[in-house]
Amino acid sequence: GENVEQHPSTLSVQEGDSAVIKCTYSDSASNYFPWYKQELGKRPQLIIDIRSNVGEKKDQRIAVTLNKTAKHFSLHITETQPEDSAVYFCAASGDTGFQKLVFGTGTRLLVSP
Amino acid sequence: SQTIHQWPATLVQPVGSPLSLECTVEGTSNPNLYWYRQAAGRGLQLLFYSVGIGQISSEVPQNLSASRPQDRQFILSSKKLLLSDSGFYLCASRGSGELFFGEGSRLTVL
């Protein structure tokens, strides 16, 4: 089955800096890669996702890149703000609904003013 | 978009007591449903998933069980809770792509 590794486990940056979180996956059949943000005590919420037919996707200050050959994908947050502080999870699965999302272990991002 | 209702939001239960967490989904039909558990400061552990009424797959052997009596209803149960069952339980629903989470049920077993 799929295995997703995520690093770093914690990341501290100054406000305005960029943050990068990296994930690797094992199953070459996976073709859907979402990123979730979880604020303290709340549910995870999707912030961006990418499918395997695309190498990069951007949404304002957030971008995700995918390298299918190397089986890794990354989340990039530019111009970080204190409200970006949260735990971020990557995941991988097939694109059809019945396939399970396998999550990484999470990255705790702390943005200091 | 989907809406997932989950209750109760919080509960404190003694060791050995039973458990029932309920989840209902609106805004979609025939969703794939999931129960995840998150221990304090940890990641998301998939407990059960269901692709249809009465169809349950278990990911981790434990003293929990799940049932899906209706298309958009998913229930997590236990006959006797353990201390290690404490955590944040999240129901999730997936249609064609995105996985949506409910607001979660925080369980403390004392």
Side-chain angles (χ1 to χ4, degrees):
Chain A
E2 177 65 274
N3 182 53
V4 177
E5 296 187 356
Q6 181 174 349
H7 60 95
S9 57
T10 59
L11 179 59
S12 294
V13 300
Q14 293 291 317
E15 183 177 1
D17 288 349
S18 294
V20 180
I21 303 170
K22 299 181 179 181
C23 290
T24 60
Y25 62 99
S26 61
D27 189 349
S28 57
S30 290
N31 57 7
Y32 175 65
F33 308 93
W35 286 88
Y36 285 81
K37 176 183 180 182
Q38 186 179 28
E39 297 177 349
L40 189 62
K42 297 187 177 180
R43 61 182 154 181
Q45 293 195 296
L46 180 73
I47 55 171
I48 195 168
D49 58 12
I50 191 168
R51 287 175 167 80
S52 60
N53 58 345
V54 176
E56 183 176 3
K57 183 177 179 180
K58 290 183 180 180
D59 183 3
Q60 300 182 350
R61 298 185 297 108
I62 294 174
V64 57
T65 58
L66 171 65
N67 183 327
K68 283 218 73 179
T69 303
K71 289 192 275 189
H72 66 72
F73 57 112
S74 300
L75 178 71
H76 303 254
I77 306 175
T78 59
E79 300 174 24
T80 54
Q81 301 169 4
E83 52 265 38
D84 294 329
S85 296
V87 178
Y88 292 81
F89 292 97
C90 63
S93 85
D95 199 19
T96 51
F98 71 88
Q99 297 189 52
K100 301 170 290 182
L101 255 65
V102 178
F103 284 87
T105 49
T107 296
R108 184 173 302 276
L109 174 64
L110 176 62
V111 181
S112 302
Chain B
S1 65
Q2 299 182 38
T3 301
I4 302 174
H5 301 283
Q6 209 179 317
W7 69 93
T10 61
L11 63 166
V12 179
Q13 296 286 100
V15 170
S17 64
L19 172 73
S20 181
L21 301 179
E22 190 162 344
C23 168
T24 59
V25 182
E26 294 179 358
T28 186
S29 59
N30 196 30
N32 298 298
L33 298 176
Y34 307 82
W35 280 110
Y36 285 88
R37 178 171 63 197
Q38 191 174 32
R42 305 295 294 276
L44 297 160
Q45 179 187 29
L46 179 62
L47 302 176
F48 300 95
Y49 67 97
S50 171
V51 299
I53 295 173
Q55 300 179 64
I56 307 295
S57 296
S58 174
E59 286 291 294
V60 182
Q62 56 215 327
N63 68 320
L64 300 173
S65 62
S67 62
R68 186 170 178 176
Q70 299 180 42
D71 180 47
R72 289 175 287 177
Q73 183 185 26
F74 205 22
I75 298 171
L76 182 70
S77 303
S78 174
K79 293 182 179 178
K80 289 185 178 182
L81 285 168
L82 307 173
L83 286 173
S84 57
D85 291 324
S86 293
F88 190 43
Y89 288 80
L90 291 155
C91 178
S93 172
R94 189 177 188 197
S96 60
E98 181 178 349
L99 184 73
F100 292 91
F101 287 93
E103 295 194 354
S105 296
R106 190 166 303 281
L107 170 66
T108 303
V109 182
L110 301 176

